[in-house]
């Protein structure tokens, strides 16, 4: 496995994982109080339901977004 995916989680990652485990209205409400747009947390909510709620699964979504942004940058 990629080493960065198996390291212990940071504070912001823990917040994202905990928030994404809530139900959808709670995610929107808590993200609004934090000032963050809730789209990432909503996507992460469904991602975790498919891949599990491990730190590696949570990082997998961010890694996927990273790869997609590299692809877009390359195409531009």
């Amino acid at each position: 496995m990629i080493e960065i995916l198996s390291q212990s989680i940071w504070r912001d990652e823990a917040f994202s994982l905990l928030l994404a485990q809530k139900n959808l209205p709670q995610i929107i409400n808590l993200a609004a109080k934090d000032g963050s747009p809730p789209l990432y947390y909503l996507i992460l909510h469904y991602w975790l339901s498919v891949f599990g709620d491990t730190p590696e699964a949570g990082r997998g979504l961010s890694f996927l977004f990273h790869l997609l942004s590299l692809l877009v940058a390359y195409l531009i």
Side-chain angles (χ1 to χ4, degrees):
M1 176 168 267
I2 300 173
E3 184 177 334
I4 195 166
L5 294 178
S6 63
Q7 295 176 354
S8 61
I9 60 174
W10 293 11
R11 189 175 129 223
D12 61 333
E13 293 171 322
F15 176 78
S16 296
L17 290 172
L18 289 173
L19 185 60
Q21 292 174 1
K22 307 279 186 200
N23 63 40
L24 299 183
Q26 287 177 321
I27 292 173
I28 294 169
N29 186 27
L30 292 170
K33 288 179 182 178
D34 183 48
S36 303
L39 182 61
Y40 175 76
Y41 302 115
L42 295 172
I43 294 170
L44 184 60
H45 173 82
Y46 290 109
W47 178 271
L48 294 178
S49 68
V50 172
F51 295 103
D53 61 353
T54 64
E56 294 83 9
R59 283 193 179 123
L61 179 62
S62 295
F63 188 66
L64 176 66
F65 286 148
H66 172 73
L67 292 177
L68 292 174
S69 66
L70 288 176
L71 177 64
V72 169
Y74 174 77
L75 293 175
I76 291 175

